[in-house]
Amino acid sequence: MNLILFGCPFHPLPVCNCVKEKALQEDRERELAEKRARILRLYVDGLMDDELKQASFQNFEQRAGTENGLKIAKMFVEKFEEQDAGLYFFGPVGNGKSHLAASIHHQLLRRGYASVFLNVNLLFRRLKSTFGSNSQKTDFDYIRAAMNCEILTQAQRLF
């Protein structure tokens, strides 16, 4: 039963604990869905180049030494709910670290998680565009969304 008191929704808690828990779970799920929607509206496809927008585990080009990276990335997605730590890829340029990170991002988005992929250089350009413009989004909007998402993947090319 939903009531409106002073213009705000009021949800009286039911007497039965099982119904009460179900109502609380539904509220948590609704709040999480709203949070995910806000984050995804801001980042849309993430801050990635066109090539990474097509990245997947299926089109990952394995090279010598990248087999474990692919295996770990797939396992990370499969067991995401159980993870208590992040994942960090490192290695020489051109081995597919960004491709694997983008693949993780795409897989988790499909599973309903608020995943944000950031290319650091593109992020800095996006943040810069918010200064002195009539942009509807602020630099803080981008930072807050990155801080509140369930998983943040990033790519940074070091020169």
Side-chain angles (χ1 to χ4, degrees):
M1 177 202 261
N2 294 327
L3 301 173
I4 303 295
L5 293 176
F6 305 109
C8 298
F10 174 73
H11 308 284
L13 294 178
V15 175
C16 174
N17 281 338
C18 62
V19 175
K20 176 181 171 183
E21 184 56 39
K22 182 180 179 204
L24 291 173
Q25 180 64 28
E26 288 172 356
D27 284 346
R28 284 191 294 267
E29 289 173 6
R30 186 183 78 286
E31 289 172 9
L32 183 58
E34 290 170 1
K35 172 184 158 183
R36 288 173 175 166
R38 281 192 308 272
I39 291 168
L40 296 177
R41 268 193 310 271
L42 186 64
Y43 279 102
V44 188
D45 288 327
L47 292 176
M48 66 178 71
D49 59 35
D50 290 336
E51 183 179 330
L52 290 178
K53 288 179 182 178
Q54 306 305 316
S56 70
F57 295 136
Q58 291 75 28
N59 64 17
F60 179 72
E61 294 178 28
Q62 287 194 13
R63 297 158 188 87
T66 63
E67 302 85 4
N68 281 341
L70 178 60
K71 181 180 171 183
I72 290 169
K74 286 180 176 180
M75 191 175 2
F76 184 82
V77 170
E78 289 171 17
K79 304 206 182 273
F80 183 71
E81 293 87 14
E82 303 165 24
Q83 301 296 334
D84 59 357
L87 185 59
Y88 181 76
F89 292 115
F90 63 94
V93 173
N95 278 337
K97 299 177 298 294
S98 295
H99 187 107
L100 289 175
S103 299
I104 290 169
H105 163 74
H106 297 312
Q107 286 288 323
L108 291 176
L109 273 180
R110 281 194 267 302
R111 291 178 56 190
Y113 290 100
S115 176
V116 173
F117 183 97
L118 296 176
N119 174 302
V120 175
N121 295 329
L122 291 175
L123 174 63
F124 288 151
R125 276 189 246 143
R126 182 76 51 96
L127 292 174
K128 187 177 176 184
S129 75
T130 65
F131 297 124
S133 70
N134 54 3
S135 172
Q136 298 295 322
K137 299 170 186 164
T138 68
D139 56 339
F140 189 68
D141 291 331
Y142 288 101
I143 293 167
R144 182 178 37 231
M147 291 172 56
N148 290 329
C149 67
E150 292 159 294
I151 180 164
L152 174 65
T153 54
Q154 75 167 17
Q156 180 176 13
R157 180 169 277 153
L158 301 174
F159 299 98

